[in-house]
Amino acid sequence: MSGFSESWLELREPVDHRSRDLGLIRALGAHLEALDGDARVLLDLGCGTGSTCRGLSPFLPDGVEWRLFDKDPALLEAARRRLGPEGPRGARHQFLLGDAGGETPLPLDGVAVVTSSAFFDLCSAGFCARLVRELGQAGAGLYANLTYDGQMSWSIPHELDTAVVRDFNLHQRRDKGFGPALGPQAAPFLSECLKAVGYRVESASSPWRMGPQDKALQIEFLEGMRRPLEEIGTLPRTHVSAWIGFRLGVLDLAESTCEVGHTDLLALGGASA
Ligand SMILES: C[S@@+](CC[C@H](N)C(=O)[O-])C[C@H]1O[C@@H](n2cnc3c(N)ncnc32)[C@H](O)[C@@H]1O
């Protein structure tokens, strides 16, 4: 178990898909298009139930081979069930169970680009630095989208918003299985490491913009903030409950929106990538 439920990933998938930066997806598609058919190999780190594959596939050329990698057997099984061994236009899907943060090197043999969604904010500086080294050695690129950037805002303000975001972001830096996580620092850190070894890096913002139509996702998101806020512990539990109660109470108002910032990144051109 990774702590990410299938139902949570399902709830966020439509918002993830509409939030990703299209320019970077098209640039990834063009990069793959220029490769020979059998070189169009993607390794999706932390694939969950396969959302990255579902979201990107319409923009990619024929004959892509996806290697979907996750440490959670239940989520990987859901990916296998939902995607099957083959996709449209000659796509092939392989499912790999493994711990990206473990000792074993990542399966980068023949991989053109490593992809990931909502993954790198969980990772440590050590892991990201190691990945960049391994990418350079393998001549692979990186497309990392929906990395949380530390920004959250609501159209209807509450006096505790700033304190809540501060504490949530502190919790993002705690160990998520790789050592102390980079959280909102992940995208800038990766970008610097990649540029330092010669990659051409493009970044774009990809915020979740949620309104009353995304009520179910917003409820889960708000309820999911309770434990991190309580674990940081600078706000009394009664304040945390009052803030969540206020936010749940205004969700149905037409003017009520919430924005959660993310960064997408595409790095190509390092070594032979
Ligand atoms: C926020 S979820 C995102 C899932 C999927 N990419 C999506 O966008 O729906 C993070 C994923 O990373 C996986 N994960 C976390 N730590 C991992 C590790 N050390 N090795 C492999 N996968 C990991 C989790 O199991 C989970 O599926």
Side-chain angles (χ1 to χ4, degrees), residues 2 4 8-9 12-13 16 20 44-49 51-52 69-72 75 98-101 116-119 122 176-178:
S2 62
F4 298 97
W8 164 247
L9 297 183
R12 57 176 291 165
E13 184 162 324
D16 282 349
R20 291 190 181 103
D44 190 40
L45 285 184
C47 66
T49 68
S51 176
T52 318
F69 184 97
D70 206 286
K71 73 168 183 186
D72 185 323
L75 293 179
D99 178 359
S116 80
S117 301
F119 175 73
L122 307 173
K176 308 285 190 296
F178 292 86

PDB file of all heavy atoms in Angstrom, residues 2 4 8-9 12-13 16 20 44-49 51-52 69-72 75 98-101 116-119 122 176-178, ligand 1:
ATOM      1  N   SER A   2       0.515   2.230  -0.841  1.00  0.00           N
ATOM      2  CA  SER A   2       1.317   3.454  -0.936  1.00  0.00           C
ATOM      3  C   SER A   2       0.682   4.602  -0.168  1.00  0.00           C
ATOM      4  O   SER A   2       1.266   5.650  -0.016  1.00  0.00           O
ATOM      5  CB  SER A   2       1.415   3.872  -2.401  1.00  0.00           C
ATOM      6  OG  SER A   2       0.124   4.158  -2.903  1.00  0.00           O
ATOM      7  N   PHE A   4      -2.013   5.963  -1.388  1.00  0.00           N
ATOM      8  CA  PHE A   4      -2.848   6.610  -2.411  1.00  0.00           C
ATOM      9  C   PHE A   4      -3.904   5.594  -2.829  1.00  0.00           C
ATOM     10  O   PHE A   4      -3.568   4.535  -3.345  1.00  0.00           O
ATOM     11  CB  PHE A   4      -2.007   7.026  -3.618  1.00  0.00           C
ATOM     12  CG  PHE A   4      -0.956   8.039  -3.275  1.00  0.00           C
ATOM     13  CD1 PHE A   4       0.351   7.646  -3.027  1.00  0.00           C
ATOM     14  CD2 PHE A   4      -1.278   9.383  -3.174  1.00  0.00           C
ATOM     15  CE1 PHE A   4       1.321   8.578  -2.683  1.00  0.00           C
ATOM     16  CE2 PHE A   4      -0.314  10.321  -2.833  1.00  0.00           C
ATOM     17  CZ  PHE A   4       0.990   9.917  -2.588  1.00  0.00           C
ATOM     18  N   TRP A   8      -9.163   7.841  -4.803  1.00  0.00           N
ATOM     19  CA  TRP A   8      -8.607   9.203  -4.833  1.00  0.00           C
ATOM     20  C   TRP A   8      -7.999   9.503  -6.205  1.00  0.00           C
ATOM     21  O   TRP A   8      -8.228  10.565  -6.800  1.00  0.00           O
ATOM     22  CB  TRP A   8      -7.567   9.359  -3.714  1.00  0.00           C
ATOM     23  CG  TRP A   8      -6.669  10.564  -3.877  1.00  0.00           C
ATOM     24  CD1 TRP A   8      -5.340  10.554  -4.137  1.00  0.00           C
ATOM     25  CD2 TRP A   8      -7.039  11.962  -3.809  1.00  0.00           C
ATOM     26  NE1 TRP A   8      -4.850  11.839  -4.251  1.00  0.00           N
ATOM     27  CE2 TRP A   8      -5.878  12.718  -4.046  1.00  0.00           C
ATOM     28  CE3 TRP A   8      -8.248  12.618  -3.575  1.00  0.00           C
ATOM     29  CZ2 TRP A   8      -5.873  14.110  -4.057  1.00  0.00           C
ATOM     30  CZ3 TRP A   8      -8.245  14.018  -3.588  1.00  0.00           C
ATOM     31  CH2 TRP A   8      -7.069  14.754  -3.817  1.00  0.00           C
ATOM     32  N   LEU A   9      -7.267   8.537  -6.757  1.00  0.00           N
ATOM     33  CA  LEU A   9      -6.634   8.762  -8.070  1.00  0.00           C
ATOM     34  C   LEU A   9      -7.699   8.919  -9.154  1.00  0.00           C
ATOM     35  O   LEU A   9      -7.555   9.726 -10.074  1.00  0.00           O
ATOM     36  CB  LEU A   9      -5.666   7.622  -8.406  1.00  0.00           C
ATOM     37  CG  LEU A   9      -4.463   7.468  -7.461  1.00  0.00           C
ATOM     38  CD1 LEU A   9      -3.539   6.353  -7.941  1.00  0.00           C
ATOM     39  CD2 LEU A   9      -3.683   8.770  -7.310  1.00  0.00           C
ATOM     40  N   ARG A  12      -9.195  12.468  -8.970  1.00  0.00           N
ATOM     41  CA  ARG A  12      -8.375  13.580  -9.440  1.00  0.00           C
ATOM     42  C   ARG A  12      -8.077  13.513 -10.942  1.00  0.00           C
ATOM     43  O   ARG A  12      -7.654  14.507 -11.534  1.00  0.00           O
ATOM     44  CB  ARG A  12      -7.086  13.691  -8.623  1.00  0.00           C
ATOM     45  CG  ARG A  12      -6.200  12.447  -8.605  1.00  0.00           C
ATOM     46  CD  ARG A  12      -4.905  12.675  -7.857  1.00  0.00           C
ATOM     47  NE  ARG A  12      -4.049  13.592  -8.603  1.00  0.00           N
ATOM     48  CZ  ARG A  12      -2.980  14.215  -8.097  1.00  0.00           C
ATOM     49  NH1 ARG A  12      -2.639  14.027  -6.848  1.00  0.00           N
ATOM     50  NH2 ARG A  12      -2.254  15.013  -8.832  1.00  0.00           N
ATOM     51  N   GLU A  13      -8.290  12.351 -11.546  1.00  0.00           N
ATOM     52  CA  GLU A  13      -7.847  12.175 -12.940  1.00  0.00           C
ATOM     53  C   GLU A  13      -8.426  13.208 -13.925  1.00  0.00           C
ATOM     54  O   GLU A  13      -7.664  13.791 -14.718  1.00  0.00           O
ATOM     55  CB  GLU A  13      -8.120  10.738 -13.411  1.00  0.00           C
ATOM     56  CG  GLU A  13      -7.590  10.488 -14.808  1.00  0.00           C
ATOM     57  CD  GLU A  13      -7.433   9.001 -15.142  1.00  0.00           C
ATOM     58  OE1 GLU A  13      -7.075   8.210 -14.248  1.00  0.00           O
ATOM     59  OE2 GLU A  13      -7.674   8.640 -16.301  1.00  0.00           O
ATOM     60  N   ASP A  16      -6.636  16.460 -13.314  1.00  0.00           N
ATOM     61  CA  ASP A  16      -5.243  16.330 -13.767  1.00  0.00           C
ATOM     62  C   ASP A  16      -5.169  16.476 -15.280  1.00  0.00           C
ATOM     63  O   ASP A  16      -4.327  17.196 -15.816  1.00  0.00           O
ATOM     64  CB  ASP A  16      -4.678  14.945 -13.389  1.00  0.00           C
ATOM     65  CG  ASP A  16      -4.284  14.864 -11.915  1.00  0.00           C
ATOM     66  OD1 ASP A  16      -4.243  15.904 -11.247  1.00  0.00           O
ATOM     67  OD2 ASP A  16      -4.022  13.740 -11.433  1.00  0.00           O
ATOM     68  N   ARG A  20      -2.819  19.752 -17.184  1.00  0.00           N
ATOM     69  CA  ARG A  20      -1.469  19.635 -17.761  1.00  0.00           C
ATOM     70  C   ARG A  20      -1.264  20.635 -18.891  1.00  0.00           C
ATOM     71  O   ARG A  20      -2.183  20.902 -19.659  1.00  0.00           O
ATOM     72  CB  ARG A  20      -1.250  18.230 -18.340  1.00  0.00           C
ATOM     73  CG  ARG A  20      -1.166  17.150 -17.310  1.00  0.00           C
ATOM     74  CD  ARG A  20      -0.695  15.846 -17.952  1.00  0.00           C
ATOM     75  NE  ARG A  20      -0.637  14.820 -16.935  1.00  0.00           N
ATOM     76  CZ  ARG A  20      -1.556  13.864 -16.800  1.00  0.00           C
ATOM     77  NH1 ARG A  20      -2.563  13.785 -17.624  1.00  0.00           N
ATOM     78  NH2 ARG A  20      -1.439  12.973 -15.821  1.00  0.00           N
ATOM     79  N   ASP A  44       6.940   5.116 -16.997  1.00  0.00           N
ATOM     80  CA  ASP A  44       6.134   6.013 -16.152  1.00  0.00           C
ATOM     81  C   ASP A  44       6.350   5.658 -14.687  1.00  0.00           C
ATOM     82  O   ASP A  44       5.878   4.636 -14.198  1.00  0.00           O
ATOM     83  CB  ASP A  44       4.654   5.884 -16.531  1.00  0.00           C
ATOM     84  CG  ASP A  44       3.814   6.972 -15.862  1.00  0.00           C
ATOM     85  OD1 ASP A  44       4.298   8.130 -15.793  1.00  0.00           O
ATOM     86  OD2 ASP A  44       2.710   6.676 -15.392  1.00  0.00           O
ATOM     87  N   LEU A  45       7.063   6.541 -13.979  1.00  0.00           N
ATOM     88  CA  LEU A  45       7.382   6.284 -12.572  1.00  0.00           C
ATOM     89  C   LEU A  45       6.195   6.652 -11.684  1.00  0.00           C
ATOM     90  O   LEU A  45       5.629   7.733 -11.825  1.00  0.00           O
ATOM     91  CB  LEU A  45       8.574   7.147 -12.140  1.00  0.00           C
ATOM     92  CG  LEU A  45       9.962   6.736 -12.615  1.00  0.00           C
ATOM     93  CD1 LEU A  45      11.004   7.666 -12.003  1.00  0.00           C
ATOM     94  CD2 LEU A  45      10.258   5.287 -12.256  1.00  0.00           C
ATOM     95  N   GLY A  46       5.851   5.777 -10.751  1.00  0.00           N
ATOM     96  CA  GLY A  46       4.717   6.050  -9.872  1.00  0.00           C
ATOM     97  C   GLY A  46       3.439   6.146 -10.685  1.00  0.00           C
ATOM     98  O   GLY A  46       2.677   7.109 -10.568  1.00  0.00           O
ATOM     99  N   CYS A  47       3.201   5.106 -11.493  1.00  0.00           N
ATOM    100  CA  CYS A  47       2.113   5.163 -12.498  1.00  0.00           C
ATOM    101  C   CYS A  47       0.722   5.114 -11.877  1.00  0.00           C
ATOM    102  O   CYS A  47      -0.256   5.473 -12.540  1.00  0.00           O
ATOM    103  CB  CYS A  47       2.261   4.022 -13.498  1.00  0.00           C
ATOM    104  SG  CYS A  47       2.032   2.386 -12.752  1.00  0.00           S
ATOM    105  N   GLY A  48       0.601   4.641 -10.625  1.00  0.00           N
ATOM    106  CA  GLY A  48      -0.740   4.490 -10.049  1.00  0.00           C
ATOM    107  C   GLY A  48      -1.581   3.580 -10.928  1.00  0.00           C
ATOM    108  O   GLY A  48      -1.147   2.498 -11.331  1.00  0.00           O
ATOM    109  N   THR A  49      -2.773   4.037 -11.277  1.00  0.00           N
ATOM    110  CA  THR A  49      -3.664   3.201 -12.095  1.00  0.00           C
ATOM    111  C   THR A  49      -3.502   3.481 -13.595  1.00  0.00           C
ATOM    112  O   THR A  49      -4.322   3.041 -14.388  1.00  0.00           O
ATOM    113  CB  THR A  49      -5.140   3.426 -11.708  1.00  0.00           C
ATOM    114  OG1 THR A  49      -5.504   4.763 -12.099  1.00  0.00           O
ATOM    115  CG2 THR A  49      -5.382   3.252 -10.228  1.00  0.00           C
ATOM    116  N   SER A  51      -2.935   6.766 -15.068  1.00  0.00           N
ATOM    117  CA  SER A  51      -3.511   8.041 -15.513  1.00  0.00           C
ATOM    118  C   SER A  51      -2.630   8.766 -16.535  1.00  0.00           C
ATOM    119  O   SER A  51      -3.137   9.356 -17.495  1.00  0.00           O
ATOM    120  CB  SER A  51      -3.743   8.940 -14.297  1.00  0.00           C
ATOM    121  OG  SER A  51      -4.200  10.192 -14.691  1.00  0.00           O
ATOM    122  N   THR A  52      -1.307   8.733 -16.333  1.00  0.00           N
ATOM    123  CA  THR A  52      -0.417   9.441 -17.272  1.00  0.00           C
ATOM    124  C   THR A  52      -0.591   8.864 -18.666  1.00  0.00           C
ATOM    125  O   THR A  52      -0.685   9.605 -19.658  1.00  0.00           O
ATOM    126  CB  THR A  52       1.068   9.279 -16.864  1.00  0.00           C
ATOM    127  OG1 THR A  52       1.183   9.416 -15.447  1.00  0.00           O
ATOM    128  CG2 THR A  52       1.950  10.291 -17.560  1.00  0.00           C
ATOM    129  N   PHE A  69       5.408   1.685 -13.934  1.00  0.00           N
ATOM    130  CA  PHE A  69       6.200   1.257 -12.776  1.00  0.00           C
ATOM    131  C   PHE A  69       5.594   1.834 -11.494  1.00  0.00           C
ATOM    132  O   PHE A  69       5.384   3.048 -11.393  1.00  0.00           O
ATOM    133  CB  PHE A  69       7.625   1.788 -12.976  1.00  0.00           C
ATOM    134  CG  PHE A  69       8.625   1.379 -11.933  1.00  0.00           C
ATOM    135  CD1 PHE A  69       9.473   0.297 -12.154  1.00  0.00           C
ATOM    136  CD2 PHE A  69       8.746   2.078 -10.735  1.00  0.00           C
ATOM    137  CE1 PHE A  69      10.424  -0.080 -11.212  1.00  0.00           C
ATOM    138  CE2 PHE A  69       9.686   1.715  -9.783  1.00  0.00           C
ATOM    139  CZ  PHE A  69      10.535   0.632 -10.025  1.00  0.00           C
ATOM    140  N   ASP A  70       5.326   0.984 -10.529  1.00  0.00           N
ATOM    141  CA  ASP A  70       4.805   1.469  -9.244  1.00  0.00           C
ATOM    142  C   ASP A  70       5.171   0.469  -8.166  1.00  0.00           C
ATOM    143  O   ASP A  70       5.387  -0.707  -8.430  1.00  0.00           O
ATOM    144  CB  ASP A  70       3.281   1.653  -9.294  1.00  0.00           C
ATOM    145  CG  ASP A  70       2.788   2.693  -8.292  1.00  0.00           C
ATOM    146  OD1 ASP A  70       2.765   2.377  -7.076  1.00  0.00           O
ATOM    147  OD2 ASP A  70       2.470   3.828  -8.704  1.00  0.00           O
ATOM    148  N   LYS A  71       5.223   0.954  -6.929  1.00  0.00           N
ATOM    149  CA  LYS A  71       5.553   0.040  -5.826  1.00  0.00           C
ATOM    150  C   LYS A  71       4.299  -0.550  -5.180  1.00  0.00           C
ATOM    151  O   LYS A  71       4.405  -1.425  -4.326  1.00  0.00           O
ATOM    152  CB  LYS A  71       6.391   0.759  -4.773  1.00  0.00           C
ATOM    153  CG  LYS A  71       5.628   1.750  -3.938  1.00  0.00           C
ATOM    154  CD  LYS A  71       6.449   2.206  -2.746  1.00  0.00           C
ATOM    155  CE  LYS A  71       5.631   3.138  -1.881  1.00  0.00           C
ATOM    156  NZ  LYS A  71       6.367   3.729  -0.788  1.00  0.00           N
ATOM    157  N   ASP A  72       3.128  -0.039  -5.562  1.00  0.00           N
ATOM    158  CA  ASP A  72       1.897  -0.484  -4.907  1.00  0.00           C
ATOM    159  C   ASP A  72       1.225  -1.555  -5.782  1.00  0.00           C
ATOM    160  O   ASP A  72       0.694  -1.242  -6.859  1.00  0.00           O
ATOM    161  CB  ASP A  72       0.973   0.726  -4.731  1.00  0.00           C
ATOM    162  CG  ASP A  72      -0.291   0.384  -3.947  1.00  0.00           C
ATOM    163  OD1 ASP A  72      -0.814  -0.739  -4.139  1.00  0.00           O
ATOM    164  OD2 ASP A  72      -0.744   1.231  -3.175  1.00  0.00           O
ATOM    165  N   LEU A  75      -2.459  -0.842  -6.915  1.00  0.00           N
ATOM    166  CA  LEU A  75      -2.617   0.195  -7.952  1.00  0.00           C
ATOM    167  C   LEU A  75      -2.111  -0.322  -9.295  1.00  0.00           C
ATOM    168  O   LEU A  75      -2.732  -0.080 -10.343  1.00  0.00           O
ATOM    169  CB  LEU A  75      -1.871   1.476  -7.551  1.00  0.00           C
ATOM    170  CG  LEU A  75      -2.429   2.215  -6.329  1.00  0.00           C
ATOM    171  CD1 LEU A  75      -1.586   3.449  -6.026  1.00  0.00           C
ATOM    172  CD2 LEU A  75      -3.893   2.608  -6.542  1.00  0.00           C
ATOM    173  N   GLY A  98       7.935  -2.266  -8.446  1.00  0.00           N
ATOM    174  CA  GLY A  98       9.262  -1.990  -7.896  1.00  0.00           C
ATOM    175  C   GLY A  98       9.251  -0.711  -7.083  1.00  0.00           C
ATOM    176  O   GLY A  98       8.333   0.103  -7.182  1.00  0.00           O
ATOM    177  N   ASP A  99      10.294  -0.570  -6.274  1.00  0.00           N
ATOM    178  CA  ASP A  99      10.436   0.617  -5.434  1.00  0.00           C
ATOM    179  C   ASP A  99      11.475   1.532  -6.082  1.00  0.00           C
ATOM    180  O   ASP A  99      12.662   1.202  -6.106  1.00  0.00           O
ATOM    181  CB  ASP A  99      10.884   0.179  -4.034  1.00  0.00           C
ATOM    182  CG  ASP A  99      11.094   1.359  -3.111  1.00  0.00           C
ATOM    183  OD1 ASP A  99      10.913   2.519  -3.538  1.00  0.00           O
ATOM    184  OD2 ASP A  99      11.443   1.118  -1.939  1.00  0.00           O
ATOM    185  N   ALA A 100      11.012   2.682  -6.599  1.00  0.00           N
ATOM    186  CA  ALA A 100      11.939   3.592  -7.280  1.00  0.00           C
ATOM    187  C   ALA A 100      13.031   4.078  -6.332  1.00  0.00           C
ATOM    188  O   ALA A 100      14.131   4.423  -6.766  1.00  0.00           O
ATOM    189  CB  ALA A 100      11.172   4.786  -7.856  1.00  0.00           C
ATOM    190  N   GLY A 101      12.718   4.119  -5.042  1.00  0.00           N
ATOM    191  CA  GLY A 101      13.691   4.625  -4.076  1.00  0.00           C
ATOM    192  C   GLY A 101      14.606   3.533  -3.535  1.00  0.00           C
ATOM    193  O   GLY A 101      15.430   3.810  -2.665  1.00  0.00           O
ATOM    194  N   SER A 116       6.202  11.007 -15.495  1.00  0.00           N
ATOM    195  CA  SER A 116       5.606  10.834 -14.165  1.00  0.00           C
ATOM    196  C   SER A 116       4.569  11.923 -13.968  1.00  0.00           C
ATOM    197  O   SER A 116       4.687  13.009 -14.547  1.00  0.00           O
ATOM    198  CB  SER A 116       6.644  10.932 -13.056  1.00  0.00           C
ATOM    199  OG  SER A 116       6.902  12.285 -12.809  1.00  0.00           O
ATOM    200  N   SER A 117       3.559  11.622 -13.182  1.00  0.00           N
ATOM    201  CA  SER A 117       2.556  12.623 -12.808  1.00  0.00           C
ATOM    202  C   SER A 117       2.412  12.610 -11.302  1.00  0.00           C
ATOM    203  O   SER A 117       2.277  11.531 -10.696  1.00  0.00           O
ATOM    204  CB  SER A 117       1.183  12.278 -13.405  1.00  0.00           C
ATOM    205  OG  SER A 117       1.250  12.198 -14.797  1.00  0.00           O
ATOM    206  N   ALA A 118       2.397  13.791 -10.713  1.00  0.00           N
ATOM    207  CA  ALA A 118       2.136  13.921  -9.275  1.00  0.00           C
ATOM    208  C   ALA A 118       3.022  12.984  -8.471  1.00  0.00           C
ATOM    209  O   ALA A 118       2.567  12.284  -7.585  1.00  0.00           O
ATOM    210  CB  ALA A 118       0.653  13.618  -8.997  1.00  0.00           C
ATOM    211  N   PHE A 119       4.297  12.952  -8.785  1.00  0.00           N
ATOM    212  CA  PHE A 119       5.216  11.999  -8.162  1.00  0.00           C
ATOM    213  C   PHE A 119       6.421  12.678  -7.521  1.00  0.00           C
ATOM    214  O   PHE A 119       6.802  12.365  -6.394  1.00  0.00           O
ATOM    215  CB  PHE A 119       5.662  10.983  -9.229  1.00  0.00           C
ATOM    216  CG  PHE A 119       6.697  10.003  -8.767  1.00  0.00           C
ATOM    217  CD1 PHE A 119       6.361   8.965  -7.904  1.00  0.00           C
ATOM    218  CD2 PHE A 119       8.024  10.114  -9.187  1.00  0.00           C
ATOM    219  CE1 PHE A 119       7.318   8.059  -7.473  1.00  0.00           C
ATOM    220  CE2 PHE A 119       8.987   9.209  -8.762  1.00  0.00           C
ATOM    221  CZ  PHE A 119       8.621   8.179  -7.903  1.00  0.00           C
ATOM    222  N   LEU A 122       7.049  13.929  -3.908  1.00  0.00           N
ATOM    223  CA  LEU A 122       7.242  12.931  -2.850  1.00  0.00           C
ATOM    224  C   LEU A 122       8.721  12.590  -2.658  1.00  0.00           C
ATOM    225  O   LEU A 122       9.096  11.968  -1.675  1.00  0.00           O
ATOM    226  CB  LEU A 122       6.531  11.607  -3.223  1.00  0.00           C
ATOM    227  CG  LEU A 122       5.059  11.648  -3.602  1.00  0.00           C
ATOM    228  CD1 LEU A 122       4.611  10.270  -4.099  1.00  0.00           C
ATOM    229  CD2 LEU A 122       4.233  12.054  -2.385  1.00  0.00           C
ATOM    230  N   LYS A 176       8.440  10.781   2.484  1.00  0.00           N
ATOM    231  CA  LYS A 176       7.335  10.057   1.822  1.00  0.00           C
ATOM    232  C   LYS A 176       7.868   8.750   1.218  1.00  0.00           C
ATOM    233  O   LYS A 176       7.347   8.267   0.219  1.00  0.00           O
ATOM    234  CB  LYS A 176       6.705  10.933   0.723  1.00  0.00           C
ATOM    235  CG  LYS A 176       6.288  12.333   1.185  1.00  0.00           C
ATOM    236  CD  LYS A 176       5.013  12.301   2.014  1.00  0.00           C
ATOM    237  CE  LYS A 176       4.426  13.677   2.279  1.00  0.00           C
ATOM    238  NZ  LYS A 176       5.228  14.606   3.072  1.00  0.00           N
ATOM    239  N   GLY A 177       8.946   8.240   1.823  1.00  0.00           N
ATOM    240  CA  GLY A 177       9.480   6.958   1.364  1.00  0.00           C
ATOM    241  C   GLY A 177      10.823   7.058   0.655  1.00  0.00           C
ATOM    242  O   GLY A 177      11.415   6.042   0.291  1.00  0.00           O
ATOM    243  N   PHE A 178      11.319   8.281   0.469  1.00  0.00           N
ATOM    244  CA  PHE A 178      12.602   8.474  -0.228  1.00  0.00           C
ATOM    245  C   PHE A 178      13.611   9.214   0.657  1.00  0.00           C
ATOM    246  O   PHE A 178      14.630   9.670   0.173  1.00  0.00           O
ATOM    247  CB  PHE A 178      12.401   9.330  -1.486  1.00  0.00           C
ATOM    248  CG  PHE A 178      11.603   8.676  -2.578  1.00  0.00           C
ATOM    249  CD1 PHE A 178      10.217   8.752  -2.571  1.00  0.00           C
ATOM    250  CD2 PHE A 178      12.231   7.997  -3.613  1.00  0.00           C
ATOM    251  CE1 PHE A 178       9.475   8.168  -3.591  1.00  0.00           C
ATOM    252  CE2 PHE A 178      11.497   7.409  -4.631  1.00  0.00           C
ATOM    253  CZ  PHE A 178      10.117   7.489  -4.623  1.00  0.00           C
TER     254      PHE A 178
HETATM  255  C1  LIG B   1       0.060  10.852  -6.219  1.00  0.00           C
HETATM  256  S1  LIG B   1       0.157   9.223  -6.823  1.00  0.00           S
HETATM  257  C2  LIG B   1       0.147   9.528  -8.574  1.00  0.00           C
HETATM  258  C3  LIG B   1      -0.249   8.325  -9.375  1.00  0.00           C
HETATM  259  C4  LIG B   1      -0.344   8.547 -10.886  1.00  0.00           C
HETATM  260  N1  LIG B   1       0.906   8.995 -11.443  1.00  0.00           N
HETATM  261  C5  LIG B   1      -1.455   9.538 -11.208  1.00  0.00           C
HETATM  262  O1  LIG B   1      -1.146  10.636 -11.670  1.00  0.00           O
HETATM  263  O2  LIG B   1      -2.616   9.200 -10.987  1.00  0.00           O
HETATM  264  C6  LIG B   1       1.858   8.757  -6.522  1.00  0.00           C
HETATM  265  C7  LIG B   1       2.192   7.359  -7.010  1.00  0.00           C
HETATM  266  O3  LIG B   1       3.583   7.117  -6.758  1.00  0.00           O
HETATM  267  C8  LIG B   1       3.730   5.793  -6.309  1.00  0.00           C
HETATM  268  N2  LIG B   1       4.965   5.698  -5.529  1.00  0.00           N
HETATM  269  C9  LIG B   1       5.251   6.347  -4.369  1.00  0.00           C
HETATM  270  N3  LIG B   1       6.478   6.010  -3.945  1.00  0.00           N
HETATM  271  C10 LIG B   1       6.979   5.146  -4.861  1.00  0.00           C
HETATM  272  C11 LIG B   1       8.210   4.437  -4.976  1.00  0.00           C
HETATM  273  N4  LIG B   1       9.152   4.544  -4.035  1.00  0.00           N
HETATM  274  N5  LIG B   1       8.404   3.648  -6.051  1.00  0.00           N
HETATM  275  C12 LIG B   1       7.435   3.514  -7.003  1.00  0.00           C
HETATM  276  N6  LIG B   1       6.234   4.140  -6.942  1.00  0.00           N
HETATM  277  C13 LIG B   1       6.009   4.950  -5.887  1.00  0.00           C
HETATM  278  C14 LIG B   1       2.474   5.541  -5.478  1.00  0.00           C
HETATM  279  O4  LIG B   1       2.212   4.161  -5.290  1.00  0.00           O
HETATM  280  C15 LIG B   1       1.411   6.247  -6.321  1.00  0.00           C
HETATM  281  O5  LIG B   1       0.885   5.381  -7.300  1.00  0.00           O
END
